[in-house]
Amino acid sequence: MDKVADIASDIGEYIRQQRSSAKISLRQLSKLAGVSNPYLSQIERGVRKPSAEILQQIAKGLRISAEALYVQAGILDLPTGGPVGDAIRSDAELTERQKQVLLDVYESFRRENAAANTAPKTTHETAQETTEESA
């Protein structure tokens, strides 16, 4: 039970930080997100743990990725992709769908390259490397 309380507190604190960074009042965010002012206050204080749907509404109000809130709330695992993935996720000019497609393509390239780097080399590849090294 303590873990749930910690997650609620963490997500509330994260939302408060994002709201402060965006210079939006609690009342303004509640209007933008379509969530009641008292409920949003309870979320920020860690009294309530919001659903994924409410997090999505809050993310829209804050103009941040819903995925970022899902990760903070423990709904999603920490995303992979390092700085490239972070850049894609933070691009305000892309829709959530466009971001997900780009991330999927990027991750497929990373997996393909990782598999190629761990696969045993063929005789032709080994011979080609030897020729390039002696040139």
Side-chain angles (χ1 to χ4, degrees), residues 15-17 19-20 23 33 40 50 52 56-57 62 65 74 81-82 85 95-96 98 121 127-128:
I15 290 169
R16 180 178 290 142
Q17 289 171 356
R19 184 174 57 75
S20 291
K23 295 182 173 47
L40 184 57
Q56 186 173 21
Q57 289 173 238
L62 290 170
S65 164
T95 67
E96 290 301 315
Q98 290 168 333
K121 295 182 181 180
Q128 188 175 12

mmCIF file of all heavy atoms in Angstrom, residues 15-17 19-20 23 33 40 50 52 56-57 62 65 74 81-82 85 95-96 98 121 127-128:
data_model
loop_
_atom_site.group_PDB
_atom_site.id
_atom_site.type_symbol
_atom_site.label_atom_id
_atom_site.label_comp_id
_atom_site.label_asym_id
_atom_site.label_seq_id
_atom_site.Cartn_x
_atom_site.Cartn_y
_atom_site.Cartn_z
ATOM 1 N N ILE A 15 3.581 16.631 -11.569
ATOM 2 C CA ILE A 15 2.587 17.497 -12.201
ATOM 3 C C ILE A 15 2.736 18.923 -11.690
ATOM 4 O O ILE A 15 2.705 19.885 -12.466
ATOM 5 C CB ILE A 15 1.154 16.958 -11.962
ATOM 6 C CG1 ILE A 15 0.954 15.667 -12.765
ATOM 7 C CG2 ILE A 15 0.098 18.002 -12.343
ATOM 8 C CD1 ILE A 15 -0.316 14.903 -12.421
ATOM 9 N N ARG A 16 2.940 19.069 -10.385
ATOM 10 C CA ARG A 16 3.130 20.405 -9.804
ATOM 11 C C ARG A 16 4.357 21.084 -10.404
ATOM 12 O O ARG A 16 4.318 22.271 -10.753
ATOM 13 C CB ARG A 16 3.269 20.303 -8.294
ATOM 14 C CG ARG A 16 3.472 21.678 -7.642
ATOM 15 C CD ARG A 16 3.572 21.599 -6.143
ATOM 16 N NE ARG A 16 2.265 21.240 -5.615
ATOM 17 C CZ ARG A 16 2.079 20.428 -4.587
ATOM 18 N NH1 ARG A 16 3.100 19.886 -3.970
ATOM 19 N NH2 ARG A 16 0.873 20.161 -4.153
ATOM 20 N N GLN A 17 5.461 20.336 -10.555
ATOM 21 C CA GLN A 17 6.679 20.910 -11.146
ATOM 22 C C GLN A 17 6.436 21.343 -12.589
ATOM 23 O O GLN A 17 6.868 22.421 -13.004
ATOM 24 C CB GLN A 17 7.819 19.891 -11.104
ATOM 25 C CG GLN A 17 8.369 19.638 -9.728
ATOM 26 C CD GLN A 17 9.339 18.465 -9.704
ATOM 27 O OE1 GLN A 17 9.553 17.788 -10.715
ATOM 28 N NE2 GLN A 17 9.931 18.205 -8.547
ATOM 29 N N ARG A 19 3.590 22.124 -13.960
ATOM 30 C CA ARG A 19 2.667 23.262 -13.942
ATOM 31 C C ARG A 19 3.419 24.540 -13.586
ATOM 32 O O ARG A 19 3.231 25.584 -14.218
ATOM 33 C CB ARG A 19 1.542 22.989 -12.944
ATOM 34 C CG ARG A 19 0.474 24.061 -12.925
ATOM 35 C CD ARG A 19 -0.676 23.690 -12.037
ATOM 36 N NE ARG A 19 -0.332 23.409 -10.655
ATOM 37 C CZ ARG A 19 -0.017 24.335 -9.738
ATOM 38 N NH1 ARG A 19 -0.012 25.609 -10.070
ATOM 39 N NH2 ARG A 19 0.271 23.971 -8.503
ATOM 40 N N SER A 20 4.306 24.462 -12.603
ATOM 41 C CA SER A 20 5.105 25.625 -12.220
ATOM 42 C C SER A 20 6.018 26.070 -13.353
ATOM 43 O O SER A 20 6.140 27.270 -13.625
ATOM 44 C CB SER A 20 5.954 25.312 -10.986
ATOM 45 O OG SER A 20 5.136 25.162 -9.864
ATOM 46 N N LYS A 23 4.236 27.933 -15.790
ATOM 47 C CA LYS A 23 3.641 29.141 -15.226
ATOM 48 C C LYS A 23 2.120 29.149 -15.381
ATOM 49 O O LYS A 23 1.526 30.123 -15.833
ATOM 50 C CB LYS A 23 4.274 30.395 -15.833
ATOM 51 C CG LYS A 23 5.745 30.547 -15.500
ATOM 52 C CD LYS A 23 6.305 31.822 -16.088
ATOM 53 C CE LYS A 23 7.688 32.149 -15.679
ATOM 54 N NZ LYS A 23 8.712 31.248 -15.693
ATOM 55 N N ALA A 33 -7.443 21.026 -18.504
ATOM 56 C CA ALA A 33 -7.492 19.561 -18.477
ATOM 57 C C ALA A 33 -8.910 19.023 -18.329
ATOM 58 O O ALA A 33 -9.141 17.827 -18.514
ATOM 59 C CB ALA A 33 -6.613 19.031 -17.340
ATOM 60 N N LEU A 40 -7.741 18.004 -8.866
ATOM 61 C CA LEU A 40 -6.376 18.250 -9.310
ATOM 62 C C LEU A 40 -5.477 18.579 -8.116
ATOM 63 O O LEU A 40 -4.341 18.102 -8.038
ATOM 64 C CB LEU A 40 -6.344 19.379 -10.342
ATOM 65 C CG LEU A 40 -4.995 19.692 -10.978
ATOM 66 C CD1 LEU A 40 -4.391 18.462 -11.650
ATOM 67 C CD2 LEU A 40 -5.136 20.819 -11.987
ATOM 68 N N PRO A 50 -4.311 9.404 -10.033
ATOM 69 C CA PRO A 50 -5.168 9.569 -11.205
ATOM 70 C C PRO A 50 -5.116 8.379 -12.162
ATOM 71 O O PRO A 50 -4.112 7.663 -12.231
ATOM 72 C CB PRO A 50 -4.610 10.822 -11.875
ATOM 73 C CG PRO A 50 -3.174 10.848 -11.467
ATOM 74 C CD PRO A 50 -3.133 10.260 -10.084
ATOM 75 N N ALA A 52 -5.199 6.668 -16.042
ATOM 76 C CA ALA A 52 -4.480 6.985 -17.280
ATOM 77 C C ALA A 52 -5.232 8.041 -18.084
ATOM 78 O O ALA A 52 -4.613 8.929 -18.686
ATOM 79 C CB ALA A 52 -4.285 5.716 -18.112
ATOM 80 N N GLN A 56 -3.840 11.716 -19.136
ATOM 81 C CA GLN A 56 -3.810 12.181 -20.525
ATOM 82 C C GLN A 56 -4.403 13.585 -20.627
ATOM 83 O O GLN A 56 -3.856 14.443 -21.319
ATOM 84 C CB GLN A 56 -4.557 11.208 -21.427
ATOM 85 C CG GLN A 56 -4.438 11.558 -22.898
ATOM 86 C CD GLN A 56 -5.041 10.488 -23.784
ATOM 87 O OE1 GLN A 56 -5.863 9.703 -23.363
ATOM 88 N NE2 GLN A 56 -4.623 10.472 -25.032
ATOM 89 N N GLN A 57 -5.492 13.834 -19.928
ATOM 90 C CA GLN A 57 -6.113 15.157 -19.940
ATOM 91 C C GLN A 57 -5.165 16.198 -19.324
ATOM 92 O O GLN A 57 -5.032 17.305 -19.842
ATOM 93 C CB GLN A 57 -7.433 15.133 -19.152
ATOM 94 C CG GLN A 57 -8.537 14.372 -19.849
ATOM 95 C CD GLN A 57 -9.756 14.221 -18.959
ATOM 96 O OE1 GLN A 57 -10.190 13.123 -18.680
ATOM 97 N NE2 GLN A 57 -10.301 15.333 -18.497
ATOM 98 N N LEU A 62 -1.033 20.578 -19.882
ATOM 99 C CA LEU A 62 0.342 21.022 -19.669
ATOM 100 C C LEU A 62 1.140 21.099 -20.969
ATOM 101 O O LEU A 62 2.265 21.591 -20.974
ATOM 102 C CB LEU A 62 1.057 20.071 -18.703
ATOM 103 C CG LEU A 62 0.610 20.109 -17.257
ATOM 104 C CD1 LEU A 62 1.219 18.950 -16.480
ATOM 105 C CD2 LEU A 62 0.984 21.441 -16.614
ATOM 106 N N SER A 65 4.006 15.338 -23.105
ATOM 107 C CA SER A 65 3.680 13.985 -23.532
ATOM 108 C C SER A 65 2.936 13.233 -22.436
ATOM 109 O O SER A 65 3.359 13.231 -21.273
ATOM 110 C CB SER A 65 4.968 13.248 -23.882
ATOM 111 O OG SER A 65 4.768 11.870 -23.950
ATOM 112 N N GLY A 74 4.071 5.172 -13.110
ATOM 113 C CA GLY A 74 4.333 3.740 -13.054
ATOM 114 C C GLY A 74 3.435 2.922 -13.959
ATOM 115 O O GLY A 74 3.399 1.706 -13.871
ATOM 116 N N GLY A 81 15.871 4.618 -25.803
ATOM 117 C CA GLY A 81 16.186 5.442 -26.954
ATOM 118 C C GLY A 81 17.091 6.607 -26.638
ATOM 119 O O GLY A 81 17.546 7.293 -27.525
ATOM 120 N N GLY A 82 17.363 6.839 -25.364
ATOM 121 C CA GLY A 82 18.279 7.891 -24.973
ATOM 122 C C GLY A 82 17.863 9.259 -25.460
ATOM 123 O O GLY A 82 16.667 9.572 -25.525
ATOM 124 N N GLY A 85 15.228 9.459 -28.431
ATOM 125 C CA GLY A 85 13.867 9.200 -27.979
ATOM 126 C C GLY A 85 13.302 10.358 -27.180
ATOM 127 O O GLY A 85 12.145 10.755 -27.357
ATOM 128 N N THR A 95 2.204 15.013 -33.230
ATOM 129 C CA THR A 95 1.106 14.406 -32.474
ATOM 130 C C THR A 95 1.656 13.193 -31.725
ATOM 131 O O THR A 95 2.745 12.692 -32.039
ATOM 132 C CB THR A 95 -0.036 13.947 -33.398
ATOM 133 O OG1 THR A 95 0.447 12.863 -34.212
ATOM 134 C CG2 THR A 95 -0.552 15.074 -34.271
ATOM 135 N N GLU A 96 0.890 12.722 -30.747
ATOM 136 C CA GLU A 96 1.308 11.539 -30.000
ATOM 137 C C GLU A 96 1.477 10.347 -30.939
ATOM 138 O O GLU A 96 2.394 9.552 -30.794
ATOM 139 C CB GLU A 96 0.305 11.213 -28.888
ATOM 140 C CG GLU A 96 0.309 12.206 -27.749
ATOM 141 C CD GLU A 96 1.652 12.347 -27.065
ATOM 142 O OE1 GLU A 96 2.306 11.323 -26.778
ATOM 143 O OE2 GLU A 96 2.067 13.492 -26.811
ATOM 144 N N GLN A 98 2.278 10.425 -34.187
ATOM 145 C CA GLN A 98 3.502 10.616 -34.978
ATOM 146 C C GLN A 98 4.742 10.290 -34.142
ATOM 147 O O GLN A 98 5.687 9.656 -34.627
ATOM 148 C CB GLN A 98 3.569 12.052 -35.494
ATOM 149 C CG GLN A 98 2.543 12.352 -36.565
ATOM 150 C CD GLN A 98 2.419 13.831 -36.860
ATOM 151 O OE1 GLN A 98 2.685 14.683 -36.011
ATOM 152 N NE2 GLN A 98 2.006 14.145 -38.071
ATOM 153 N N LYS A 121 30.159 -13.366 -38.069
ATOM 154 C CA LYS A 121 30.509 -12.879 -39.408
ATOM 155 C C LYS A 121 30.654 -14.044 -40.382
ATOM 156 O O LYS A 121 31.138 -15.110 -40.029
ATOM 157 C CB LYS A 121 31.810 -12.081 -39.348
ATOM 158 C CG LYS A 121 31.660 -10.820 -38.536
ATOM 159 C CD LYS A 121 32.930 -10.031 -38.520
ATOM 160 C CE LYS A 121 32.711 -8.786 -37.661
ATOM 161 N NZ LYS A 121 33.867 -7.967 -37.588
ATOM 162 N N ALA A 127 36.837 -11.902 -44.830
ATOM 163 C CA ALA A 127 37.806 -11.694 -45.908
ATOM 164 C C ALA A 127 37.816 -10.216 -46.340
ATOM 165 O O ALA A 127 38.873 -9.650 -46.580
ATOM 166 C CB ALA A 127 37.481 -12.582 -47.108
ATOM 167 N N GLN A 128 36.644 -9.612 -46.394
ATOM 168 C CA GLN A 128 36.547 -8.215 -46.804
ATOM 169 C C GLN A 128 37.223 -7.310 -45.772
ATOM 170 O O GLN A 128 37.962 -6.404 -46.138
ATOM 171 C CB GLN A 128 35.086 -7.814 -46.957
ATOM 172 C CG GLN A 128 34.886 -6.450 -47.565
ATOM 173 C CD GLN A 128 33.416 -6.133 -47.828
ATOM 174 O OE1 GLN A 128 32.535 -6.853 -47.357
ATOM 175 N NE2 GLN A 128 33.174 -5.077 -48.549
#
